[in-house]
Amino acid sequence: MGGSELRFLAPFRGEVLDVPPIWLMRQAGRYLPEYRATRAEAGDFLKLCYTPKLAAEVTLQPIRRYGFDAAILFSDILVVPDALGQAVRFVEGEGPRLDPIRSADGVSRLTLAGAVSKFDVVAETVQRLRQDLPHETALIGFCGAPWTVATYMVQGQGSSDQAEARLWAYRDPEGFEGLIDLLVAASIDYLDRQVKAGADCLQIFDTWAGSLPDDEFDRWVVKPTKTIREALRELHPDVPVIGFPRGAGATAVWYVSETGVNGIGCDTATPPFVMSEAFDEEDVVVQGNLDPLLLVAGGEKLDERVDEILDLMEGKRFIFNLGHGIVPQTPPENVGRLVERVRSKG
Ligand code: 1CP
């Protein structure tokens, strides 16, 4: 697997590089014409995720263009509910739709045993990538965190406030816990298969971590992530796990020390002094946090901000990334400009 020499993994080995490794969340996606072509060939979005040849192709597209230090498996966090038996549809121009689950009864109809065949299709994509990626490129596997995946399963679609999951968690915590426990077990199994197939690093996306206050954050974000992290440490002690608890704010430090993640993804709103100092006492690599909209704006503003982030994180174990995913209206040449700027430093 060549894992140990990968430049991307150097910060996890404790090394500080002059030029930090770089990859971008949603680096494969609609801003790339070649993605739109492969997506049209697949027709349906989930079909793209479940066709290893096509999923591997779109994973490779941004690597060919920009030579990022890491590729991220092309899939979606909603593959897990789909595999568990809650059918997911992607409606063109609207986003995901699921038949909502709001009771223990609904959870009891899902099965982990049934999910394995779909998890194995994703693992096949990872295997292909292991063959096709340049030797110097790391491969990141991922899943959605149980809390964030649950918000879609309970709401039945994306939402700005995740109200249905939050209400269920308040009204019937034991029932809701049944769903979270199932997602913890499914995530461990899914990530384990990705590593066995060749993933060098894992990221847990908790896009909606910021919607929960203190005790709820602890119970639904921190504890499940800790369980997943500990189980994977038993299975694959050398594979680093990056947590991305978007919107966690000041509790991100607590999240790191409790969960034991090896990397912390900082979102766009994370202030510079938090990125550069708040994690100093933790054994953790910091990743982030350029505003994805600066990548749309481009120009000198983009250059200035990139330089600020590089200066801020000089001498730290750091991975350059955005604070959230690339948006579809991003001009591809601005991504090239960013990569060049980062690499010309140091
Ligand atoms: O039409 C299209 O082509 C679909 C657009 C798209 C893409 C490119 C979706 C639908 N998912 C993806 C890929 C994807 N999603 C990746 C691939 C790897 C990469 O290049 O980074 C990853 C890691 C995700 C993760 C994901 N999916 C998250 C967590 C990260 C984040 O961005 O916050 C979430 C919340 C989703 C759900 C999802 N999938 C797609 C959409 C439009 C949404 C958001 C739905 C909503 O909340 O309204």
Side-chain angles (χ1 to χ4, degrees):
M1 239 156 276
S4 57
E5 316 91 72
L6 289 163
R7 183 170 193 281
F8 177 78
L9 296 178
F12 297 104
R13 295 191 296 262
E15 293 172 35
V16 174
L17 302 179
D18 288 342
V19 175
I22 178 172
W23 71 283
L24 305 179
M25 291 187 278
R26 293 270 176 108
Q27 63 193 24
R30 282 171 292 178
Y31 76 107
L32 291 178
E34 58 270 36
Y35 171 84
R36 295 195 295 270
T38 312
R39 169 85 162 77
E41 189 187 333
D44 178 68
F45 176 72
L46 272 185
K47 182 137 180 264
L48 177 55
C49 297
Y50 288 135
T51 309
K53 186 169 177 290
L54 299 181
E57 166 57 26
V58 291
T59 305
L60 291 164
Q61 288 169 350
I63 305 305
R64 287 191 201 113
R65 258 192 200 247
Y66 307 114
F68 290 117
D69 294 289
I72 179 159
L73 162 71
F74 188 85
S75 182
D76 194 83
I77 64 167
L78 299 179
V79 157
V80 168
D82 185 71
L84 289 170
Q86 185 187 18
V88 174
R89 318 173 285 288
F90 279 86
V91 182
E92 215 57 55
E94 290 185 33
R97 294 287 181 276
L98 310 84
D99 295 329
I101 290 176
R102 293 182 187 166
S103 67
D105 199 38
V107 178
S108 70
R109 282 193 281 273
L110 304 174
T111 74
L112 185 48
V116 169
S117 61
K118 284 186 169 168
F119 289 175
D120 278 339
V121 173
V122 175
E124 202 185 314
T125 304
V126 174
Q127 261 165 6
R128 271 179 177 266
L129 285 165
R130 207 55 283 168
Q131 301 279 315
D132 296 348
L133 274 170
H135 291 303
E136 67 274 17
T137 314
L139 179 58
I140 303 172
F142 75 91
C143 70
W147 163 251
T148 285
V149 175
T151 65
Y152 289 94
M153 296 175 80
V154 179
Q155 196 86 29
Q157 60 185 66
S159 64
S160 55
D161 59 6
Q162 301 76 53
E164 292 299 333
R166 288 160 65 196
L167 285 170
W168 184 8
Y170 280 128
R171 288 176 178 149
D172 170 27
E174 281 72 33
F176 184 68
E177 190 157 51
L179 175 58
I180 293 292
D181 287 348
L182 177 64
L183 287 169
V184 167
S187 304
I188 294 167
D189 184 61
Y190 186 47
L191 294 176
D192 174 40
R193 283 168 205 271
Q194 292 180 36
V195 174
K196 285 187 177 128
D200 303 297
C201 178
L202 299 166
Q203 177 156 315
I204 300 175
F205 287 87
D206 218 342
T207 302
W208 302 117
S211 63
L212 293 175
D214 40 72
D215 289 354
E216 300 292 298
F217 180 83
D218 187 43
R219 183 160 181 186
W220 308 122
V221 170
V222 172
K223 288 214 161 65
T225 305
K226 179 178 183 173
T227 307
I228 294 170
R229 207 289 153 260
E230 284 177 353
L232 283 157
R233 188 175 279 120
E234 291 289 310
L235 295 163
H236 308 286
D238 298 329
V239 175
V241 175
I242 303 169
F244 178 57
R246 182 170 160 261
T251 48
V253 182
W254 158 254
Y255 169 95
V256 168
S257 62
E258 280 299 301
T259 61
V261 290
N262 312 86
I264 179 73
C266 292
D267 61 32
T268 307
T270 307
F273 76 93
V274 173
M275 295 249 313
S276 68
E277 287 174 37
F279 302 101
D280 276 356
E281 302 297 309
E282 309 294 331
D283 179 18
V284 77
V285 175
V286 175
Q287 172 178 283
N289 82 336
L290 185 82
D291 186 348
L293 290 189
L294 265 179
L295 211 44
V296 178
E300 281 172 21
K301 260 266 187 302
L302 170 63
D303 296 346
E304 280 165 25
R305 186 66 189 151
V306 170
D307 292 354
E308 275 169 24
I309 293 175
L310 291 172
D311 287 347
L312 179 76
M313 300 311 288
E314 205 187 321
K316 307 266 173 187
R317 293 155 63 204
F318 176 57
I319 296 170
F320 199 102
N321 205 315
L322 303 177
H324 199 191
I326 295 187
V327 297
Q329 66 268 38
T330 304
E333 59 273 22
N334 288 354
V335 177
R337 184 177 177 128
L338 162 67
V339 173
E340 221 170 279
R341 190 91 188 167
V342 171
R343 298 227 163 118
S344 70
K345 299 283 153 174

